[in-house]
Amino acid sequence: MKEFDLELFEKLSKAVLYSMGNQLNWRSPRATSYLLYDLDTPRQVKVAYNSGLPKWRELRNDIFKEIRRVEDIHESKRIIKVILFKHNNRSYCIPNHEEVRRHTYFIMKDTPKIILSKLPMRKSIKHMAMPEDDYNLIPFGKKGTAWKNIHLQRTKVGSAYSIGTEWTSILFPTEDTLYFYVETDI
Amino acid sequence: MIPIFIGTSNYEDAWIERILAYTLLKNTKEKLSITWLRPKYFPDWNKVGWGTPFTNFRYAIPHLMNYKGKAIYMDCDQINFRNIADLYETDLEGRTFGLVWDALMWNGAKWRDTPHERGFFCDSVMLIDCEKAGKLIGDYEGVKNAKYGFKMDIFDKLGCPDKKKGLEHIYQLNPRWNSFDGNNTSFLPKGDTSDMEYKYIADMQPKLAPDEIWHLHLTGLSSQMWHPPYNPWAKTHFNREDLLEIIWELNRQINMITKREEFLND
């Protein structure tokens, strides 16, 4: 967990929420997402995804520099994806797991506790409005900190629901959780 | 008053709807009557197999106009750059529709290796003579219950995709009125394109400069920069930086009006 330049990222997140339309992304089903940058473009498309949002174009290099500083990524390594996610009371997050990439969450809000549910997924989603006792709240870091490799957090047996493995594979961020999801080369 | 009907979704295309409405109003002094054709307004329609949330609604326009006068139809994923009255006042010379010729449209295996393999009139911008179109399309109940492919049923009656036959009933509009992603929509590149993917052929079409485009149509579902949630395709970059800059500037102007307080506090 490392601190990043919150002011810089906030300038961007404010502009994104103000100017862009709501999108969907499978990494956090039902959440609102805003794609800013993506090198994983389909084979026949020659150009990498680079949002035309003026504030993104203005701040992109500074954002990239800060990501490299926080993540200690060499200039030769790629920043592959930048997406802003905003959660609601129905959305959940599937922490990505690829050996060749690092997945980092730049937390933008003060209420970023992640709920690891004790219940099976369907019940968990149905019962998101239940009292907090039903969930195992883990500190997801305070605003202005970057978390990486969330999927590698081991869940204690009986303390959290994990699909198929003992690694964290589904998270229920609380409503209004806001973070930049960043994928980079390792 | 110019009647304009816009096919759209319930809420997923709100970002581009604002830009379309803003530019239509910005570029004309005429009064416009804009009707949004949304799925929630047509709950009991047969929508099975539609490629968009609004595919067949456009064919209800003659009925909605009481089979009188002219009307304009357009999809929501468009941006206007020229006085829409100029389109409305186009003389159809007794024909039913005014449409742009989409030179790249592939007409399916039925027309493979024939002169009509590619090319069709596109119905995403239409100037409609409602009386004539009503007779051609048939009654409202028929449109409501029509199966997938209704467009082809109608245009088959006009002899399409044979362009010569089609032109007996269709007035061919300047392609600038429906410029697909900034291209000259009616231009067919020379040479054998039969085995080429649409995207590669489209790259061979002339790119219109921004001030040459009268009405832009953002046809690439993947590259529509607002990425409507109903679209299952991958998100890709819209590869016209000059147009992107204009589109985001229009978005900024709209935010100045619709989110005035937030804008002033920025």
Side-chain angles (χ1 to χ4, degrees):
Chain A
M1 187 177 69
K2 282 185 179 175
E3 288 190 6
F4 62 88
D5 183 349
L6 182 65
E7 198 180 327
L8 171 67
F9 278 67
E10 271 183 344
K11 271 185 202 166
L12 179 60
S13 68
K14 276 183 188 168
V16 169
L17 296 173
Y18 177 74
S19 296
M20 289 179 72
N22 298 349
Q23 303 166 18
L24 294 181
N25 189 296
W26 65 265
R27 288 164 185 81
S28 284
R30 299 177 188 163
T32 308
S33 72
Y34 307 88
L35 178 61
L36 295 165
Y37 189 76
D38 189 4
L39 296 184
D40 287 336
T41 50
R43 189 167 45 87
Q44 69 272 28
V45 178
K46 300 166 197 159
V47 186
Y49 193 97
N50 185 25
S51 171
L53 175 72
K55 192 59 97 179
W56 166 248
R57 295 293 176 93
E58 178 193 327
L59 298 178
R60 189 188 60 193
N61 286 345
D62 292 339
I63 293 279
F64 277 13
K65 263 188 212 165
E66 183 62 2
I67 290 171
R68 288 185 187 285
R69 185 192 69 77
V70 171
E71 290 297 291
D72 196 17
I73 302 169
H74 189 264
E75 197 61 38
S76 62
K77 305 286 185 185
R78 298 172 308 160
I79 292 168
I80 298 160
K81 232 180 269 293
V82 180
I83 309 171
L84 180 67
F85 280 103
K86 185 177 182 185
H87 279 270
N88 53 56
N89 60 5
R90 297 175 300 116
S91 60
Y92 56 101
C93 167
I94 302 170
N96 222 343
H97 185 173
E98 288 167 283
E99 298 299 339
V100 294
R101 288 187 183 179
R102 182 181 293 164
H103 312 273
T104 310
Y105 299 72
F106 288 75
I107 308 294
M108 300 301 298
K109 294 270 283 188
D110 245 348
T111 55
K113 278 184 179 170
I114 296 297
I115 296 169
L116 288 175
S117 172
K118 297 171 187 171
L119 300 167
M121 182 173 71
R122 276 183 61 194
K123 281 191 181 173
S124 298
I125 294 166
K126 276 183 184 173
H127 292 278
M128 285 300 285
M130 296 282 277
E132 226 170 55
D133 291 354
D134 274 4
Y135 306 105
N136 179 21
L137 295 177
I138 62 162
F140 193 52
K142 60 178 183 180
K143 164 169 142 175
T145 60
W147 278 63
K148 65 187 169 196
N149 296 336
I150 285 180
H151 64 277
L152 292 179
Q153 283 199 56
R154 275 180 184 273
T155 54
K156 288 177 193 167
V157 175
S159 72
Y161 184 72
S162 156
I163 305 166
T165 74
E166 62 183 349
W167 306 106
T168 300
S169 48
I170 185 163
L171 296 162
F172 298 100
T174 47
E175 192 172 357
D176 287 335
T177 296
L178 187 71
Y179 53 79
F180 282 96
Y181 168 79
V182 176
E183 266 181 45
T184 59
D185 284 331
I186 287 178
Chain B
M1 184 80 84
I2 300 176
I4 298 176
F5 294 83
I6 302 175
T8 189
S9 54
N10 284 334
Y11 63 89
E12 294 93 333
D13 292 288
W15 192 87
I16 193 68
E17 281 176 14
R18 297 187 321 157
I19 295 181
L20 175 57
Y22 174 68
T23 53
L24 282 167
L25 293 163
K26 186 182 173 195
N27 294 322
T28 190
K29 287 179 182 166
E30 298 297 320
K31 284 191 176 173
L32 306 181
S33 163
I34 296 177
T35 305
W36 301 95
L37 304 175
R38 302 185 192 280
K40 65 182 176 186
Y41 302 148
F42 303 88
D44 51 352
W45 275 49
N46 175 19
K47 303 180 183 100
V48 177
W50 287 11
T52 65
F54 50 83
T55 298
N56 280 355
F57 295 151
R58 71 199 76 188
Y59 296 109
I61 292 172
H63 171 80
L64 297 172
M65 288 288 293
N66 209 17
Y67 304 97
K68 285 178 189 160
K70 283 197 294 186
I72 290 174
Y73 169 80
M74 57 185 70
D75 292 350
C76 63
D77 50 359
Q78 302 181 357
I79 299 173
N80 176 261
F81 291 105
R82 177 172 170 149
N83 188 349
I84 200 68
D86 293 346
L87 173 62
Y88 186 68
E89 285 158 12
T90 301
D91 181 3
L92 289 176
E93 299 172 353
R95 296 174 174 93
T96 308
F97 297 111
L99 305 173
V100 166
W101 178 253
D102 172 8
L104 303 189
M105 169 84 174
W106 193 68
N107 292 321
K110 184 181 170 188
W111 299 96
R112 191 192 291 274
D113 298 328
T114 74
H116 310 304
E117 183 173 273
R118 280 195 189 278
F120 209 96
F121 287 100
C122 46
D123 62 350
S124 44
V125 170
M126 298 199 284
L127 178 60
I128 307 169
D129 179 313
C130 294
E131 187 186 344
K132 288 191 170 74
K135 285 175 188 162
L136 175 75
I137 292 167
D139 66 10
Y140 183 74
E141 286 301 311
V143 183
K144 198 170 115 178
N145 299 309
K147 288 182 181 166
Y148 172 73
F150 187 60
K151 171 189 172 180
M152 294 306 171
D153 296 345
I154 294 166
F155 285 90
D156 276 356
K157 290 184 202 170
L158 302 180
C160 294
D162 185 327
K163 192 177 178 184
K164 270 190 185 170
K165 284 184 185 170
L167 284 172
E168 291 170 21
H169 305 275
I170 298 166
Y171 180 89
Q172 186 177 343
L173 296 172
N174 189 314
R176 290 179 174 85
W177 278 121
N178 193 351
S179 168
F180 284 13
D181 300 303
N183 288 2
N184 179 345
T185 310
S186 302
F187 182 88
L188 181 66
K190 285 182 181 170
D192 182 12
T193 57
S194 54
D195 289 333
M196 291 176 74
E197 277 184 44
Y198 185 94
K199 178 168 172 39
Y200 291 117
I201 318 172
D203 278 349
M204 293 160 68
Q205 283 186 319
K207 311 278 178 268
L208 299 177
D211 62 351
E212 283 189 293
I213 298 169
W214 297 346
H215 198 82
L216 173 67
H217 186 179
L218 300 161
T219 61
L221 289 179
S222 292
S223 60
Q224 291 177 337
M225 57 289 299
W226 64 101
H227 300 302
Y230 58 76
N231 175 26
W233 310 109
K235 298 179 180 77
T236 61
H237 188 71
F238 180 60
N239 197 16
R240 278 289 301 263
E241 286 291 322
D242 53 347
L243 295 175
L244 258 187
E245 204 171 302
I246 292 168
I247 293 167
W248 281 99
E249 169 57 21
L250 289 167
N251 185 58
R252 191 188 70 84
Q253 290 172 19
I254 293 162
N255 282 339
M256 283 173 68
I257 301 165
T258 60
K259 302 178 181 176
R260 190 164 174 271
E261 281 187 19
E262 285 178 66
F263 183 82
L264 294 174
N265 292 330
D266 188 28

